[in-house]
Amino acid sequence: MRIDLHAHSNISDGTEPPAELVASAARAGLDVVALTDHDTTDGWAEASAAAQQHGVALVPGMEISCRTREGISVHLLSYLHDPTHPGLLEEITKARDARLSRAERMVALLSEDYPLNWDDVTQHLAPGATIGRPHIADALVAAGIVADRTEAFATILTSHSRYYVQHYAADPALAVELVRAAGGVSVFAHPVARARGRVVGEHTFEEMIDAGLGGVEVWHRDNPQEGREFLLSLAARHELIVTGSSDYHGAGKPNLLGENLTAPEQLARIEEQASGSVVRA
Ligand code: AMP
Ligand code: FE
Ligand code: FE
Ligand code: ZN
């Protein structure tokens, strides 16, 4: 069983529409793929239909933008939640709205120094999709300012950049509680990915675990080895689910579907704990 529990479509910052992503998963030899777009479940229906067609099982999911009191960014994966749960919907709507005004402010700052306007950015955004820095990166690539998204993130779009603007995001413990309330299972995404920015301290893990955290994403290319060992011992102590995944973004990132996998018994634990929706096969 080849199970990859973290992938993005163009409903957020991946480059393939949900059906194409599922086709790519089948081609990559996956038996199970999770669709985890940032702060939206709008791709679930299209991905479900494609999953049936391609004989791949789809785990409907989402990646929720969070930020701690100290200002550290946390990504929380949610699996098999009820997409209509009002409390969870309210939080992701706030995050999506905040992402939009934040992107507008970043583009306004960028346009002072680069030939770039808002239309250049929204051209790279599917209708209704969650906007993020990758879409601004696409506009910088199209304008010939950088070669690809990776270069954009290494230079103009880093969190240390003068063009960087923060956006509202839920407290991670609150997001964990909302996922549980919506019948879902939460998994802390790439928790020790230091290259992406500051990572949380043990007190944040404790708060999230006390709030009902389901698991931790251990096998992810951005987690360094010593961090993986820490996560495995934390998971053993608190009986957390452990997952592995690619964080595929289509052509937007080098990450390849199936480059990390989740064990079937770990997916079984997710399914046992979830009551908000089901795996579509
Ligand atoms: P944002 O959430 O708008 O601050 O942008 C962060 C998102 O950009 C993450 O969710 C990643 O998917 C994506 N990202 C981060 N680093 C890179 C990179 N080097 N190349 C492409 N995409 C990236
Ligand atoms: Fe992303
Ligand atoms: Fe993430
Ligand atoms: Zn992701």
Side-chain angles (χ1 to χ4, degrees):
M1 279 278 269
R2 288 169 54 80
I3 303 167
D4 185 342
L5 290 184
H6 187 165
H8 297 262
S9 76
N10 72 345
I11 301 301
S12 63
D13 57 359
T15 58
E16 299 167 345
E20 222 176 279
L21 163 67
V22 171
S24 296
R27 221 176 304 119
L30 293 179
D31 301 291
V32 183
V33 67
L35 176 66
T36 55
D37 278 313
H38 297 285
D39 304 311
T40 181
T41 61
D42 286 358
W44 285 14
E46 182 183 318
S48 296
Q52 287 208 321
Q53 203 186 320
H54 292 280
V56 174
L58 175 81
V59 178
M62 178 165 77
E63 186 171 18
I64 305 169
S65 310
C66 305
R67 180 169 296 105
T68 68
R69 292 183 294 281
E70 302 105 308
I72 300 170
S73 166
V74 166
H75 285 179
L76 186 72
L77 293 160
S78 173
Y79 298 112
L80 301 174
H81 63 271
D82 171 3
T84 69
H85 184 271
L88 188 53
L89 263 180
E90 189 188 328
E91 272 309 318
I92 62 172
T93 303
K94 272 162 76 175
R96 285 159 54 88
D97 290 349
R99 280 175 162 284
L100 185 59
S101 44
R102 172 270 202 145
E104 286 169 344
R105 284 171 58 200
M106 285 187 69
V107 172
L109 290 171
L110 283 159
S111 67
E112 293 172 9
D113 296 329
Y114 296 102
L116 190 80
N117 63 39
W118 184 241
D119 284 344
D120 299 327
V121 173
T122 54
Q123 266 183 36
H124 301 279
L125 192 68
T130 302
I131 196 166
R133 280 181 285 165
H135 304 102
I136 303 176
D138 290 345
L140 292 168
V141 173
I145 298 163
V146 293
D148 53 23
R149 283 186 180 183
T150 302
E151 188 188 340
F153 271 87
T155 58
I156 300 172
L157 297 181
T158 69
S159 53
H160 312 293
S161 153
R162 49 185 294 252
Y163 309 107
Y164 183 81
V165 177
Q166 279 202 349
H167 63 81
Y168 168 82
D171 177 80
L174 170 66
V176 165
E177 275 170 25
L178 287 170
V179 170
R180 278 276 179 218
V185 176
S186 59
V187 170
F188 192 161
H190 44 75
V192 292
R194 224 172 287 118
R196 287 170 173 248
R198 288 165 71 205
V199 298
V200 302
E202 291 213 30
H203 62 283
T204 303
F205 282 101
E206 276 159 27
E207 279 175 36
M208 291 170 73
I209 290 167
D210 290 346
L213 181 69
V216 284
E217 189 180 54
V218 176
W219 296 280
H220 182 291
R221 63 158 68 202
D222 295 349
N223 286 335
Q225 187 54 41
E226 69 279 8
R228 295 178 189 195
E229 282 152 24
F230 161 76
L231 291 172
L232 286 172
S233 76
L234 184 81
R237 265 180 282 140
H238 296 279
E239 291 180 43
L240 299 173
I241 296 163
V242 289
T243 68
S245 43
S246 64
D247 204 354
Y248 179 71
H249 282 68
K253 268 188 164 183
N255 308 35
L256 298 175
L257 282 165
E259 68 175 33
N260 289 293
L261 299 170
T262 295
E265 59 271 23
Q266 302 295 326
L267 175 58
R269 291 174 73 187
I270 293 175
E271 288 192 70
E272 276 158 28
Q273 291 184 30
S275 58
S277 42
V278 293
V279 176
R280 291 97 193 268

